[in-house]
């Protein structure tokens, strides 16, 4: 199959393009660095020509305030319109487990709009919700670092490997379509503060970690809010496997 990977040069996108090639499909990486802007729509029609399916692993370039909602709305509307015109048969969106339960995080609100548009759009769609990736704790540290300390909220997560998420997206996009909602998670639960501490140690870095709740990671994310439901697809790679590669 010929499958367009929207955001194909990003963290997940690169893994999806690799997984498609491994399975004998043709992946078309779509991003601004590949000459296509999905927010303005420039170059999109040509990029989707002849594609059987789309895998959307875009990320917003503006995570403040209303930015993510505007980004994901414009991008998804353009993708669905261009996909319909090109005869795309399946639109697969990567989203986040628990996204529908969040009210205070702009990125999650943007993803809610992305999901809603895809589900009600003209191209049959499947939403693949993944849990946090194994490097989420280190991403959090990079966002909140202030001198020799960083803030990490005490989230309970069931982190998943990016390669496993990519494999799930390729299975969904290239397999029989069920137009539904799928959850993908890693095999075990972790505390995000502990993940940060262990990631820093594995990389030989020393930082003072502080914790607590504060927007955009408010108390609505406490407890089991970010954990998958009983029907989730459980991927094999553990946090320890990932840590050993750092
Ligand atoms: N991190 C997690 O724990 C986690 C968990 C579950 C789900 N997710 C979801 O995973 C998705 C992908 O995340 P990621 O970390 O792979 O993102 P990323 O590394 O930041 O990649 C984003 C991609 O989007 C492209 N892009 C951005 N603006 C664009 C535009 N206007 N037109 C075309 N392409 C554009 C970028 O390429 P250019 O800059 O070249 O345009 C890049 O290829 C996100 O939607 C996120 O919600 C993440």
């Amino acid at each position: 199959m010929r499958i367009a990977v929207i955001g194909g040069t990003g963290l997940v996108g690169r893994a999806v393009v690799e997984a498609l090639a491994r399975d004998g499909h043709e992946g078309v990486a779509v991003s601004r660095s590949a000459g296509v802007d999905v927010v303005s729509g420039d170059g999109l029609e040509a990029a989707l020509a002849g594609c059987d399916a789309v895998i959307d692993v875009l990320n917003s370039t503006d995570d403040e305030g209303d930015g993510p909602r505007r980004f994901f709305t414009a991008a998804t509307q353009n993708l669905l319109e261009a996909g319909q015109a090109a005869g795309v048969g399946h639109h697969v969106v990567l989203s986040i487990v628990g996204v529908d339960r969040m009210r205070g995080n702009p990125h999650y609100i943007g993803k809610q709009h992305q999901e809603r548009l895809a589900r009600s759009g003209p191209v049959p769609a499947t939403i693949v919700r993944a849990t946090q990736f194994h490097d989420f704790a280190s991403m959090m540290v990079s966002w909140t670092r202030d001198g020799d300390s960083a803030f990490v909220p005490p989230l309970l997560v069931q982190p998943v490997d990016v390669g496993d998420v990519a494999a799930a997206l390729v299975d969904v996009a290239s397999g029989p379509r069920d137009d539904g909602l799928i959850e993908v998670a890693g095999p075990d639960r972790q505390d995000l503060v502990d993940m940060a501490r262990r990631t820093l140690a594995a990389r030989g870095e020393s930082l003072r970690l502080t914790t607590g709740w504060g927007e955009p990671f408010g108390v609505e994310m406490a407890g089991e809010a970010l954990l998958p439901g009983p029907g989730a697809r459980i991927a094999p790679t553990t946090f320890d496997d990932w840590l050993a590669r750092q």
Side-chain angles (χ1 to χ4, degrees):
M1 290 173 72
R2 181 176 161 91
I3 299 182
V5 185
I6 316 299
T9 56
L11 176 68
V12 187
R14 289 191 302 272
V16 171
V17 171
E18 275 175 30
L20 284 168
R22 254 195 324 267
D23 284 5
H25 301 292
E26 183 190 355
V28 180
V30 174
S31 71
R32 291 168 304 175
S33 45
V36 185
D37 189 326
V38 295
V39 173
S40 68
D42 289 346
L44 192 52
E45 191 184 325
L48 297 191
C51 287
D52 304 295
V54 157
I55 299 178
D56 176 359
V57 290
L58 267 182
N59 209 356
S60 171
T61 41
D62 176 4
D63 251 354
E64 299 296 321
D66 199 34
R69 186 194 63 77
R70 283 189 275 110
F71 176 92
F72 283 115
T73 299
T76 309
Q77 281 168 343
N78 286 339
L79 283 169
L80 292 168
E81 198 176 305
Q84 184 184 31
V88 166
H90 196 182
H91 183 89
V92 179
V93 176
L94 175 62
S95 189
I96 310 169
V97 166
V99 72
D100 49 323
R101 296 191 275 265
M102 303 304 153
R103 297 290 171 266
N105 183 306
H107 182 76
Y108 281 63
I109 290 167
K111 301 292 291 182
Q112 290 167 6
H113 283 270
Q114 182 188 33
E115 282 196 0
R116 212 170 293 141
L117 285 167
R119 277 184 167 148
S120 59
V123 181
T126 302
I127 311 294
V128 177
R129 287 183 181 165
T131 52
Q132 285 61 43
F133 305 151
H134 286 138
D135 73 345
F136 188 71
S138 82
M139 278 170 55
M140 183 70 70
V141 165
S142 71
W143 296 330
T144 64
R145 185 171 179 163
D146 182 12
D148 64 354
S149 71
F151 173 83
V152 179
L155 303 178
L156 179 61
V157 294
Q158 195 166 321
V160 67
D161 194 72
V162 168
D164 291 340
V165 172
L169 288 164
V170 169
D171 277 0
V172 169
S174 60
R177 214 184 57 222
D178 70 358
D179 300 355
L181 172 69
I182 290 163
E183 288 190 332
V184 186
D188 40 39
R189 293 180 181 185
Q190 301 284 340
D191 162 50
L192 195 70
V193 181
D194 190 53
M195 284 172 66
R197 185 184 59 76
R198 294 179 66 205
T199 303
L200 289 167
R203 292 175 177 172
E205 292 177 50
S206 168
L207 278 184
R208 191 172 64 85
L209 297 179
T210 59
T211 191
W213 300 107
E215 299 299 341
F217 297 97
V219 77
E220 65 177 356
M221 292 189 172
E224 303 202 334
L226 295 174
L227 297 181
R233 170 173 168 154
I234 302 300
T237 312
T238 65
F239 179 62
D240 282 19
D241 293 337
W242 177 83
L243 209 53
R245 300 202 300 261
Q246 298 309 294

